[in-house]
């Protein structure tokens, strides 16, 4: 299913899953819809019913029709964005809009078992054909102006696909310690809209992203992960410093007991 909001000459293209929309978006609106409304952007939301990684001939035909109609040529700036399976799709289908910018959170390069047999997380989704058109995401970003691949370095099965994106027009952005729901973490940290605004303006840099990530210092789930890592790696003083940092501004029971 696709939903198109025709407003301005900046276009945000997002890929989302209907189940995730209902689970994580209180208003049941596709990701990016409110950014687009607030900023005066146009918004094309591609929504899947299940975890299909958007591998369907109907989607190929839909993007073919957009290419044939010169749809993307009507916009000054185009950003493709998604997380997880949607991150894969943002990278894979960006080839339809040469010169666009890609912001992919925790994307897979492919689920083709011939290439990614080490990735044992999505066995059911391997039934989809990743050798067909728009298949191998790292190849598809060639036509993009720039692609930003965002991942948590501590999540091994996310870091390995990120290493498969090796084009010169790609920048890896490390959101270390934020886990495997980067979109949810970015929303909670209130940096998601800043990330997309910077990408749309063509201003996004690694230094700017790292500055956004400083908000982790006040984000409870990250601080718990950091504390646990310090304990597990034998750094009790640093673990105590994390607790002291949190308890200066709150009476968080987890850190008070630690």
């Amino acid at each position: 299913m696709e939903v198109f909001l025709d407003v301005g000459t900046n276009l945000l293209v997002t890929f989302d899953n209907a189940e995730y929309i209902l689970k994580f978006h209180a208003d049941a609106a596709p990701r990016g819809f409110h950014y687009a409304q607030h900023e005066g952007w146009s918004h094309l939301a591609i929504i899947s019913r299940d975890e299909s990684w958007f591998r369907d001939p109907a989607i190929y035909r839909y993007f073919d029709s957009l290419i044939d109609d010169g749809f993307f040529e009507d916009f000054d700036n185009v950003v493709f964005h998604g997380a997880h399976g949607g991150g894969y799709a943002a990278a894979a289908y960006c080839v339809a809009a040469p010169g666009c910018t890609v912001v992919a959170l925790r994307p897979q390069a492919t689920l083709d078992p011939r290439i990614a047999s080490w990735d044992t997380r999505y066995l059911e989704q391997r039934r989809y054909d990743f050798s067909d058109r728009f298949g191998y995401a790292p190849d598809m970003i060639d036509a993009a102006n720039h692609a930003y691949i965002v991942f948590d370095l501590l999540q091994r099965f996310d870091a390995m696909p990120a290493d498969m994106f090796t084009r010169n027009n790609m920048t890896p952005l490390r959101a270390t310690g934020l886990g495997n729901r980067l979109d949810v973490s970015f929303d909670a940290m209130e940096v998601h809209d800043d990330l997309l605004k910077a990408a749309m303006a063509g201003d996004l840099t690694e230094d700017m992203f790292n500055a956004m990530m400083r908000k982790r210092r006040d984000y409870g789930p990250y601080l718990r992960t950091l504390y646990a890592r310090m304990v597990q790696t034998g750094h009790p003083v640093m673990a105590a410093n994390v607790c002291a940092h949190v308890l200066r501004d709150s009476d968080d029971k987890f850190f008070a007991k630690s």
Side-chain angles (χ1 to χ4, degrees), residues 66 132 134 182:
L66 295 180
D132 202 349
F134 305 103
L182 296 183

Side-chain angles (χ1 to χ4, degrees), residues 37 40 49 52 62 79 89 101 104 130 156-157 159 161 172 198 209 223 225 227 233 249 257:
Q37 278 191 317
R49 292 187 181 88
S52 66
Y62 178 68
V79 171
T101 298
F130 284 81
R156 184 167 64 94
F157 279 173
F209 178 80
L223 293 169
T225 297
Y227 170 82
T233 55
D249 300 312
K257 292 178 180 179

Side-chain angles (χ1 to χ4, degrees), residues 143-184:
N145 177 56
H146 207 85
Y148 299 91
I149 306 301
V150 190
F151 63 101
D152 182 345
L153 190 61
L154 300 180
Q155 300 289 318
R156 184 167 64 94
F157 279 173
D158 292 340
M160 291 170 71
D163 284 343
M164 299 166 76
F165 289 85
T166 58
R167 298 300 193 270
N168 291 332
N169 64 338
M170 186 280 295
T171 298
L173 298 176
R174 296 170 178 84
T176 305
L178 290 180
N180 60 9
R181 286 301 317 185
L182 296 183
D183 51 340
V184 175

Side-chain angles (χ1 to χ4, degrees), residues 10-256:
N10 290 332
L11 174 66
L12 176 65
V13 182
T14 59
F15 296 82
D16 222 327
N17 176 278
E19 181 182 351
Y20 284 175
I21 290 174
L22 294 174
K23 183 176 181 180
F24 294 113
H25 303 181
D27 55 6
R31 176 167 303 285
F33 181 75
H34 293 299
Y35 306 151
Q37 278 191 317
H38 185 267
E39 297 298 320
W41 299 345
S42 294
H43 181 208
L44 175 62
I46 311 296
I47 303 169
S48 66
R49 292 187 181 88
D50 53 24
E51 288 284 18
S52 66
W53 262 248
F54 301 88
R55 300 302 301 159
D56 190 299
I59 299 179
Y60 312 160
R61 291 192 296 271
Y62 178 68
F63 274 94
D64 284 341
S65 69
L66 295 180
I67 295 168
D68 292 342
D69 293 342
F71 173 79
F72 295 106
E73 297 171 11
D74 292 336
F75 300 96
D76 296 333
N77 302 291
V78 180
V79 171
F80 277 59
H81 176 56
H84 321 297
Y88 160 81
Y93 289 102
C94 77
V95 70
C100 71
T101 298
V102 178
V103 180
L105 310 185
R106 189 181 169 255
Q108 293 74 46
T110 178
L111 295 184
D112 188 335
R114 297 172 303 173
I115 300 172
S117 59
W118 46 265
D119 194 340
T120 56
R121 296 172 296 177
Y122 310 113
L123 298 180
E124 183 179 348
Q125 281 73 29
R126 286 186 183 180
R127 72 179 189 274
Y128 296 109
D129 187 354
F130 284 81
S131 63
D132 202 349
R133 303 182 58 227
F134 305 103
Y136 186 59
D139 285 347
M140 299 298 103
I141 66 170
D142 275 348
N145 177 56
H146 207 85
Y148 299 91
I149 306 301
V150 190
F151 63 101
D152 182 345
L153 190 61
L154 300 180
Q155 300 289 318
R156 184 167 64 94
F157 279 173
D158 292 340
M160 291 170 71
D163 284 343
M164 299 166 76
F165 289 85
T166 58
R167 298 300 193 270
N168 291 332
N169 64 338
M170 186 280 295
T171 298
L173 298 176
R174 296 170 178 84
T176 305
L178 290 180
N180 60 9
R181 286 301 317 185
L182 296 183
D183 51 340
V184 175
S185 295
F186 287 179
D187 286 344
M189 292 163 55
E190 298 183 346
V191 299
H192 212 149
D193 53 348
D194 294 334
L195 180 65
L196 293 179
K197 288 174 190 175
M200 187 68 77
D203 295 334
L204 184 57
T205 64
E206 188 172 1
D207 286 344
M208 181 184 295
F209 178 80
N210 290 338
M212 294 178 192
M213 291 300 99
R214 291 188 189 123
K215 288 195 174 183
R216 289 178 297 188
R217 299 171 184 175
D218 299 314
Y219 182 49
Y222 166 75
L223 293 169
R224 291 185 182 91
T225 297
L226 180 61
Y227 170 82
R229 190 176 180 218
M230 293 302 98
V231 171
Q232 291 165 3
T233 55
H235 294 87
V237 174
M238 296 180 71
N241 288 341
V242 173
C243 293
H245 166 75
V246 174
L247 295 174
R248 275 197 295 269
D249 300 312
S250 74
D251 58 353
D252 188 291
K253 293 180 180 179
F254 174 86
F255 292 99

